[in-house]
Amino acid sequence: MRILIADDHPIFRQGLLKVIEGVADIEVVAETGDGETALHLIRRHQPNVALLDISMPGKSGLEIAKEIQVQELPTTVIILTMFKEEEYFNEALDLGVKGYVLKDNAVSDILECLKTVSQGKYYVSPLISQYLIHRTQRQRDFYVQIPALQTLTPMERRVLKLIAENRTSKEIAAALFISFRTVQNHRNNICNKLSLKGPHKLLQFALENKALL
């Protein structure tokens, strides 16, 4: 596993580095304390995992996560944070973040986190694990409230999720390797199934419910 560490506190960063470098089959390919530099290094090295401080000079960890998502870079993101507020957690997951680790417990949690996300699973610091439960329950309730969502095909769901990322039809076509016309057909089918009428209703619905789709 190839890892990048980005945190603007040198002592904290060196502490993580020391723990991680002692593990076989893990290589730290780069480290930095600046968000802009971190994004540059991710593009250059394309690590398997990026450990990103949520708050850094240049770019925040969430801004970098968004760039990774938009540019479809092959890097899994783990956010390191002091923030325990649920809104930050939900924003992180909306941006495709797989790990959310509180700095208070980062040194003890990080190896378990790396192991978990390497298996394609989510890892959340135990102190805030209830946030993931809340999110899952809200998603279930949302699908109960709007049963028509269950009628969407797997491809229509993928298109809807990309619309929620504010992608254009052209961008969606490129991401899914389908034609622009096919994307438009999927958009029309989604609107019909969800009874969304009007030129911007689908986009509005997707953006308002991004965390629940």
Side-chain angles (χ1 to χ4, degrees), residues 35-47 52 59-77 94-96 162 165-167 171-172 174-177:
E36 287 282 3
T37 304
L39 184 56
H40 170 75
L41 291 170
I42 289 169
R43 291 188 185 119
R44 178 181 176 184
H45 295 286
Q46 298 200 359
L52 305 176
K59 283 185 180 294
S60 71
L62 294 180
E63 288 173 327
I64 297 171
K66 184 174 183 177
E67 290 291 337
I68 289 173
Q69 186 182 65
V70 169
Q71 297 176 37
E72 299 182 339
L73 300 174
T75 299
T76 298
V77 174
D94 289 343
L95 293 172
L162 290 171
E165 294 173 14
N166 211 14
R167 305 272 195 109
E171 291 170 337
I172 293 171
L176 299 180
F177 303 102

Side-chain angles (χ1 to χ4, degrees), residues 101-147:
V101 179
L102 295 180
K103 282 192 169 185
D104 293 347
N105 306 98
V107 173
S108 59
D109 289 352
I110 197 61
L111 295 182
E112 183 63 28
C113 180
L114 289 171
K115 177 182 177 181
T116 301
V117 301
S118 71
Q119 298 169 348
K121 301 175 184 177
Y122 288 94
Y123 181 91
V124 181
S125 282
L127 285 175
I128 55 171
S129 60
Q130 73 272 17
Y131 293 169
L132 192 56
I133 297 172
H134 294 168
R135 183 182 175 92
T136 302
Q137 186 59 54
R138 285 198 302 273
Q139 287 176 323
R140 288 174 180 168
D141 292 344
F142 181 64
Y143 274 74
V144 169
Q145 292 167 8
I146 308 179

Side-chain angles (χ1 to χ4, degrees), residues 62 87 168 183:
L62 294 180
E87 62 187 274
T168 65
V183 174

